[in-house]
Amino acid sequence: NSYAGVVVPTGNKPQGHLMFEPIFGNNHHFGLMLGNNLGFELIHHGDHKVEMEWDTNSRFLFYNYQVRSYDLIDKAWSRYLSVYSNKTAAQAAATAQDANSGTAGINIFTGCFKVSPRFSFNLNNAYLYTHSCGFSAEVGYNFYSRQAEELKLKDTKFNSAAIESVVGEGFTNPYRTIRNNLVPVDVAVADYQAIQLSDINIDSASHPAVLSNILYATVAYDRVWYCFPVFVSVGGSYEFSSVNTALHRWMAWGKFGFSF
């Protein structure tokens, strides 16, 4: 079988209101998909049968606009630094000698992006053994890959914010961490150093590329017990990757069911 279809944008997309925002679906992207399913009977001898299954699915998701938060270049998690929203705010802090006058960076380092997820591909190759007595087993390999998101700021007008020094009082310091100034030289309001558009790390707001490999196996048994179909199965899998954007994990599962 071969098929083609569309991916309908349901669910929701990031709005930038919550730190850990629940997202359902694929960030409300419209897309196209193409795939195929192939099956071959390799061995059929008496009560024994061995088959091979090959399934692929490719998707391309089109861009939409989402609210994302970002960091500054070479400043991991700088979106949570304290900043002055503009020079006027820094001058007010200097006049009042206020050490806690800045605003949370997340309120500044959040904007509307054009987000393009682009291409993803999923492949599953499985070998299945069945016996007429009701016993079956399956071993397989699954491969998933996805391109990194491509992002572009919708509004390129930056708002002249600056990183607040640890001491506050209108001083800025572009070399600080959450708790300390890396370079103990604060900049006074008169020499206010605003963050430039070139300081933004766009990649910090995007999802990186994904490569995932899964090996799995499962065994099952089903039979009719006093006119009631019953089945039981157990299995396990191991997921691994050459990059740190996919899980490295073992998994085990079991299922039991009956019909009446």
Side-chain angles (χ1 to χ4, degrees):
N1 298 310
S2 294
Y3 62 89
V6 297
V7 181
V8 179
T10 60
N12 62 332
K13 62 181 179 180
Q15 300 295 326
H17 297 158
L18 302 173
M19 180 178 293
F20 300 106
E21 188 171 8
I23 300 297
F24 303 93
N26 57 10
N27 286 345
H28 217 260
H29 290 284
F30 181 85
L32 302 175
M33 65 178 176
L34 181 69
N36 63 66
N37 312 107
L38 301 175
F40 299 95
E41 188 176 83
L42 303 178
I43 300 172
H44 195 169
H45 179 71
D47 296 328
H48 307 276
K49 183 167 66 172
V50 177
E51 300 170 283
M52 186 189 78
E53 299 289 341
W54 178 276
D55 303 308
T56 65
N57 180 275
S58 303
R59 296 190 177 198
F60 184 87
L61 299 181
F62 297 98
Y63 74 86
N64 65 11
Y65 291 95
Q66 301 172 23
V67 176
R68 298 281 184 95
S69 299
Y70 51 85
D71 297 318
L72 303 178
I73 292 176
D74 293 330
K75 291 181 175 63
W77 303 107
S78 52
R79 66 189 72 182
Y80 299 112
L81 287 172
S82 180
V83 301
Y84 291 117
S85 56
N86 50 50
K87 188 174 182 178
T88 301
Q91 289 173 330
T95 301
Q97 294 186 329
D98 190 346
N100 301 294
S101 54
T103 185
I106 197 68
N107 298 322
I108 302 298
F109 303 141
T110 300
C112 184
F113 284 85
K114 177 182 177 181
V115 181
S116 301
R118 302 188 287 175
F119 182 76
S120 66
F121 175 74
N122 190 68
L123 176 149
N124 195 81
N125 183 213
Y127 292 87
L128 297 87
Y129 167 78
T130 57
H131 191 278
S132 60
C133 70
F135 175 80
S136 63
E138 178 180 345
V139 294
Y141 167 72
N142 180 271
F143 172 74
Y144 176 76
S145 64
R146 190 178 79 180
Q147 279 187 286
E149 290 179 328
E150 188 177 70
L151 268 62
K152 183 178 181 181
L153 261 174
K154 183 180 179 182
D155 186 0
T156 56
K157 297 178 182 177
F158 202 59
N159 50 21
S160 69
I163 298 176
E164 178 190 9
S165 169
V166 171
V167 299
E169 299 181 0
F171 290 99
T172 59
N173 193 320
Y175 305 107
R176 69 163 288 185
T177 65
I178 295 292
R179 293 185 298 177
N180 303 303
N181 290 338
L182 292 179
V183 178
V185 178
D186 294 326
V187 179
V189 176
D191 300 315
Y192 184 85
Q193 295 184 1
I195 298 169
Q196 303 300 311
L197 187 63
S198 58
D199 295 324
I200 297 176
N201 182 1
I202 299 294
D203 289 340
S204 65
S206 69
H207 196 293
V210 176
L211 293 172
S212 174
N213 304 273
I214 299 177
L215 299 173
Y216 68 91
T218 182
V219 294
Y221 182 74
D222 65 88
R223 61 171 295 178
V224 177
W225 183 67
Y226 292 107
C227 299
F228 300 114
V230 178
F231 78 90
V232 60
S233 68
V234 294
S237 67
Y238 174 60
E239 182 176 2
F240 59 98
S241 177
S242 59
V243 294
N244 65 355
T245 53
L247 294 174
H248 290 246
R249 62 177 180 176
W250 291 93
M251 181 183 297
W253 64 84
K255 294 189 294 183
F256 170 77
F258 64 94
S259 301
F260 59 90

